[in-house]
């Protein structure tokens, strides 16, 4: 009899636990909040509900919410500053909260957003928009379960990189990506705008960079010139700022310079048959004055304190330096023993140029031994097969972002049967591997507090010939990436994430995204038809 009673009690505990888990998952928020509790009753937002801005700090966030309510749901939220009026949504400033921290609480017919800064308030809006997306909608408004949230990110850098040198997608697609990044609280958009195939950023002083260097793509060297004007850049940067996203441009150097050298051959440091004119010339003063002017215009366009200067894979096209008399003279003059020392010399000179602009240099992990300023440099560990590079970066005291190929490169396929994306031997990057990546795993290697700034997913576009393929490789892995960067490891649960994700797939469908469905495999992999065949430069084979 006692055994039976214990059995019933245990069963009740299990059922209660399951019930609680289901209840907490009702809002299906991604990334999962730090703390969320479903409270009694429901909350109703009228289709013309009032939005009270309790502090002018949140004026722009209130306007952003107003526009999102109109575009997503057709509702006309009315903004006001009168604290005496009863409002459906209230923005209240709590100064003790951290910059990206926020709280949401439903109290009767009012939903209150607490934050100390626009960043935190914007994240609250993202959570609210997700909750509304899954609510009961009608012409009169939206009803959602009542809830309370207290939330902040695990890491300050939660990034996504898009390569548009290899294939160009255009302003509207970039804005769409920024929308989804904001939806998932990602806050760094790393924009790879120059490389071998094409140069995509207008520079007024050097118009041939886009008029000549903007011609071609990875799969069609004769594709018409495509690039972003400076007016386009200003528009996109403002769009991102409204969503609390920092846009970080990459001007690749001293390698991956083929498109620039096609436009201005006098800058070329040579290359090889596979990678012609791959490098900028490291021994010509004209190279440094040219690139400094490029960076000055870039800094004027991008308010970010950070500019990415590449610094990767230079050795794949620097062998011509060995027969260049000017480079040999440079080696002798500055006691540079080999081409790697020349790379480092080049990057130090460009770092000095960035310092005059009060900018921080962002570079790939090859630059760990370039003797760059610890205060003005951030290094990104990308070569998963070289863990010693990460150890060296952290031991040297650099701030670091984790972006290893496995599992955070989104050009890798998502399942073994896929044919057109990338694999590393037999390895690839399924959704679960992205989700289970843990930056905390590397904390023991750090020498400074908060040395690991966060994580970033990268989409290189060798095989991304259209927006369908871009969507297919990005979604839903972007959602998993977001939870890696935002949610504490102890609070993550792949089963719960998967249940929430099923609802998010409906949102992708409504937005006409050609996403990968990990549950039903409903969408076949988009085919890649190549006019020219090129392999990945860093293939292990």
């Amino acid at each position: 009899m006692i055994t039976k009673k214990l059995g019933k009690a245990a069963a009740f505990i299990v059922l209660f636990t399951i019930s609680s888990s289901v209840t907490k998952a009702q809002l299906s928020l991604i990334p999962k909040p730090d703390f969320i509790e479903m409270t009694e009753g429901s909350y109703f937002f009228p289709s013309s509900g009032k939005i009270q801005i309790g502090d002018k700090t949140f004026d722009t966030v209130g306007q952003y919410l107003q526009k999102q309510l109109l575009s997503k749901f057709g509702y006309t939220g009315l903004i006001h500053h009168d604290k005496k009026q009863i409002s459906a949504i209230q923005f209240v400033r709590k100064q003790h909260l951290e910059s990206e921290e926020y709280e949401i609480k439903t109290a009767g017919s009012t939903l209150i957003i607490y934050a100390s800064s626009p960043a935190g308030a914007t994240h609250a809006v993202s959570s609210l928009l997700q909750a509304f997306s899954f609510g009961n909608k009608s012409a009169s408004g939206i009803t959602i379960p009542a809830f309370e949230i207290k939330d902040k990110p695990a890491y300050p850098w939660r990034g996504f990189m898009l390569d548009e040198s290899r294939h160009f997608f255009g302003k509207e697609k970039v804005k769409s990506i920024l929308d989804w990044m904001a939806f998932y609280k990602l806050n760094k958009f790393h924009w790879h705008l120059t490389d071998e195939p094409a140069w995509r950023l207008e520079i007024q002083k050097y118009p041939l960079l886009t008029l000549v260097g903007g011609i071609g793509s990875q799969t069609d060297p004769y594709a018409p010139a495509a690039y972003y004007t400076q007016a386009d850049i200003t528009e996109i940067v403002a769009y991102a700022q409204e969503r609390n996203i920092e846009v970080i441009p990459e001007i690749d150097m001293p390698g991956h310079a083929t498109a620039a050298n096609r436009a201005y051959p006098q800058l070329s440091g040579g290359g090889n048959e596979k990678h012609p004119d791959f490098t900028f010339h490291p021994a010509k003063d004209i190279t440094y004055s040219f690139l400094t002017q490029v960076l000055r215009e870039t800094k004027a366009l991008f308010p970010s304190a950070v500019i990415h200067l590449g610094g990767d894979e230079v050795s794949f096209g620097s062998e011509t330096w060995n027969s260049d008399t000017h480079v040999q003279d440079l080696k002798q003059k500055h006691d540079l023993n080999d081409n790697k020392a020349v790379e480092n010399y080049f990057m130090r000179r460009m770092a000095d140029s960035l310092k005059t602009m009060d900018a921080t240099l962002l570079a790939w992990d090859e630059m760990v031994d370039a003797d760059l300023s610890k205060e003005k440099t951030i290094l990104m560990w990308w070569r998963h097969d070289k863990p010693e590079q990460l150890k060296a970066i952290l031991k040297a005291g650099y701030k670091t972002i984790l972006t290893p190929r496995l599992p955070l490169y989104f050009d890798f396929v998502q399942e073994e049967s896929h044919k057109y994306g990338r694999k590393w031997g037999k390895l690839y990057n399924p959704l679960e591997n992205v989700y289970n990546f843990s930056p905390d795993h590397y904390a023991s290697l750090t020498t400074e507090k908060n040395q690991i700034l966060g994580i970033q997913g990268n989409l290189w576009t060798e095989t991304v010939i259209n927006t369908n393929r871009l969507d297919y490789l990005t979604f839903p892995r972007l959602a998993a990436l977001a939870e890696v960067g935002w949610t504490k490891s102890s609070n993550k649960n792949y089963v719960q994430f998967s249940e929430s994700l099923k609802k998010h797939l409906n949102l992708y469908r409504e937005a006409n995204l050609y996403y990968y469905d990990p549950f039903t495999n409903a969408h076949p992999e988009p085919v890649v038809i190549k006019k020219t065949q090129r392999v990945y430069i860093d293939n292990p084979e």
Side-chain angles (χ1 to χ4, degrees):
M1 187 70 180
I2 294 175
T3 305
K4 288 182 179 180
K5 285 184 178 179
L6 286 174
K8 288 181 179 180
F12 174 78
I13 290 170
V14 170
L15 287 171
F16 178 79
T17 302
I18 294 172
S19 175
S20 299
S21 175
V22 171
T23 300
K24 288 184 179 181
Q26 280 182 357
L27 291 180
S28 301
L29 301 185
I30 298 175
K32 184 181 178 183
D34 203 23
F35 168 85
I36 181 169
E37 183 176 46
M38 310 310 296
T39 55
E40 290 186 8
S42 60
Y43 165 75
F44 176 73
F45 178 78
S47 58
S48 57
K50 293 179 180 179
I51 302 170
Q52 179 198 105
I53 309 297
D55 190 298
K56 289 188 179 296
T57 302
F58 303 129
D59 278 354
T60 57
V61 184
Q63 292 162 11
Y64 169 61
L65 172 59
Q66 186 181 44
K67 287 188 284 187
Q68 291 297 303
L69 289 171
L70 181 60
S71 65
K72 291 181 179 295
F73 311 110
Y75 296 163
T76 53
L78 304 175
I79 293 176
H80 69 92
H81 294 85
D82 185 355
K83 295 182 180 180
K84 294 180 180 179
Q85 286 192 35
I86 298 175
S87 303
I89 296 175
Q90 295 178 5
F91 285 86
V92 177
R93 191 173 188 189
K94 269 191 178 181
Q95 293 190 355
H96 73 274
L97 296 179
E98 296 174 16
S99 175
E100 292 196 275
E101 189 175 6
Y102 72 93
E103 297 175 359
I104 301 177
K105 185 175 182 179
T106 54
S109 59
T110 298
L111 183 146
I112 307 172
I113 290 172
Y114 300 99
S116 65
S117 74
T122 302
H123 296 323
V125 167
S126 295
S127 290
L128 184 58
L129 292 173
Q130 286 196 29
F132 280 0
S133 296
F134 306 123
N136 294 322
K137 294 177 279 290
S138 68
S140 60
I142 299 177
T143 301
I144 60 174
F147 66 95
E148 182 179 355
I149 287 177
K150 295 180 181 180
D151 199 13
K152 63 181 180 179
Y155 289 92
W157 189 293
R158 304 176 305 281
F160 177 71
M161 189 222 73
L162 177 65
D163 162 24
E164 281 204 86
S165 172
R166 291 176 175 83
H167 288 100
F168 183 84
F169 304 101
K171 188 165 58 177
E172 294 310 311
K173 191 59 187 177
V174 169
K175 285 183 177 181
S176 172
I177 291 170
L178 293 170
D179 283 336
W180 286 104
M181 287 180 65
F183 197 67
Y184 290 130
K185 303 184 182 74
L186 295 165
N187 64 348
K188 309 289 182 182
F189 179 57
H190 174 180
W191 208 357
H192 189 80
L193 292 166
T194 75
D195 210 304
E196 290 183 82
W199 182 288
R200 306 299 190 188
L201 172 63
E202 180 188 28
I203 301 296
Q204 291 184 10
K205 190 173 179 67
Y206 304 114
L208 295 184
L209 282 172
T210 46
L211 297 178
V212 175
I215 295 172
S217 71
Q218 181 75 16
T219 49
D220 182 2
Y222 305 108
Y227 58 91
Y228 292 100
T229 67
Q230 295 196 353
D232 291 334
I233 295 295
T234 299
E235 180 183 340
I236 290 169
V237 166
Y239 193 87
Q241 285 179 322
E242 186 179 40
R243 288 151 178 77
N244 187 52
I245 296 171
E246 181 180 356
V247 183
I248 298 159
E250 181 175 357
I251 309 298
D252 217 336
M253 60 182 78
H256 294 276
T258 310
N261 290 332
R262 190 164 66 240
Y264 293 94
Q266 65 271 34
L267 300 173
S268 178
N272 54 36
E273 186 178 351
K274 287 185 178 180
H275 306 285
D277 296 308
F278 186 71
T279 64
F280 287 115
H281 202 293
K284 291 182 178 179
D285 286 339
I286 187 178
T287 301
Y288 299 99
S289 59
F290 175 93
L291 288 173
T292 297
Q293 178 58 36
V294 167
L295 292 180
R296 283 176 181 155
E297 289 199 30
T298 301
K299 186 67 177 70
L301 291 168
F302 295 89
S304 170
V306 179
I307 296 179
H308 202 304
L309 299 189
D312 62 315
E313 301 177 327
V314 185
S315 63
F316 289 116
S318 65
E319 56 261 52
T320 50
W321 292 359
N322 294 321
S323 57
D324 188 302
T325 56
H326 296 290
V327 176
Q328 297 311 306
D329 291 343
L330 179 74
K331 287 180 177 179
Q332 186 173 6
K333 180 179 178 179
H334 294 282
D335 194 23
L336 306 173
N337 295 326
D338 53 25
N339 287 349
K340 184 65 175 80
V342 175
E343 291 177 33
N344 294 345
Y345 166 84
F346 184 106
M347 194 58 73
R348 284 194 298 272
R349 284 193 64 169
M350 295 314 304
D352 288 342
S353 292
L354 278 187
K355 282 181 185 177
T356 67
M357 307 169 207
D358 195 28
T360 294
L361 186 156
L362 189 59
W364 301 110
D365 62 38
E366 285 93 329
M367 288 294 110
V368 66
D369 57 355
D371 195 26
L372 299 167
S373 163
K374 305 295 189 299
E375 292 72 30
K376 301 294 286 186
T377 303
I378 301 170
L379 295 180
M380 307 186 89
W381 176 57
W382 68 280
R383 291 182 291 175
H384 73 280
D385 57 323
K386 293 185 180 295
E388 66 274 11
Q389 287 297 107
L390 176 60
K391 292 178 182 178
I393 289 169
L394 295 173
K395 185 177 180 180
Y398 287 105
K399 296 287 187 182
T400 309
I401 298 153
L402 306 180
T403 179
R405 295 188 198 91
L406 298 178
L408 298 185
Y409 270 31
F410 287 4
D411 49 322
F412 280 72
V413 300
Q414 297 171 85
E415 61 178 66
E416 189 174 9
S417 63
H418 290 173
K419 300 178 180 178
Y420 300 102
R422 190 175 184 190
K423 293 181 181 178
W424 190 268
K426 294 183 178 181
L427 301 176
Y428 51 96
N429 290 336
L431 179 70
E432 188 170 1
N433 286 13
V434 176
Y435 185 87
N436 287 331
F437 180 74
S438 176
D440 295 351
H441 176 73
Y442 303 95
S444 62
L445 303 176
T446 61
T447 59
E448 305 286 341
K449 186 178 180 182
N450 300 323
Q451 197 174 353
I452 295 176
L453 296 178
I455 53 101
Q456 182 171 292
N458 295 337
L459 180 58
W460 301 100
T461 60
E462 281 89 343
T463 68
V464 188
I465 61 173
N466 53 40
T467 56
N468 272 3
R469 186 154 181 82
L470 190 158
D471 292 343
Y472 193 80
L473 293 172
T474 303
F475 299 95
R477 288 189 289 195
L478 192 74
L481 177 76
E483 193 142 314
V484 173
W486 182 278
T487 305
K488 290 187 179 72
S489 295
S490 59
N491 199 23
K492 288 171 62 184
N493 183 301
Y494 185 69
V495 174
Q496 288 183 2
F497 169 79
S498 298
E499 288 304 308
S500 294
L501 184 61
K502 290 174 182 177
K503 288 189 176 182
H504 285 247
L505 297 187
N506 294 329
L507 302 182
Y508 302 161
R509 190 179 303 113
E510 291 170 8
N512 292 318
L513 297 178
Y514 191 84
Y515 60 92
Y516 167 72
D517 187 336
F519 306 108
T520 66
N521 201 17
H523 297 154
E525 181 188 20
V527 173
V528 178
I529 300 174
K530 300 182 181 181
K531 293 185 179 180
T532 60
Q533 182 69 34
R534 295 184 185 178
V535 297
Y536 283 87
I537 192 172
D538 63 325
N539 264 358
E541 294 83 14

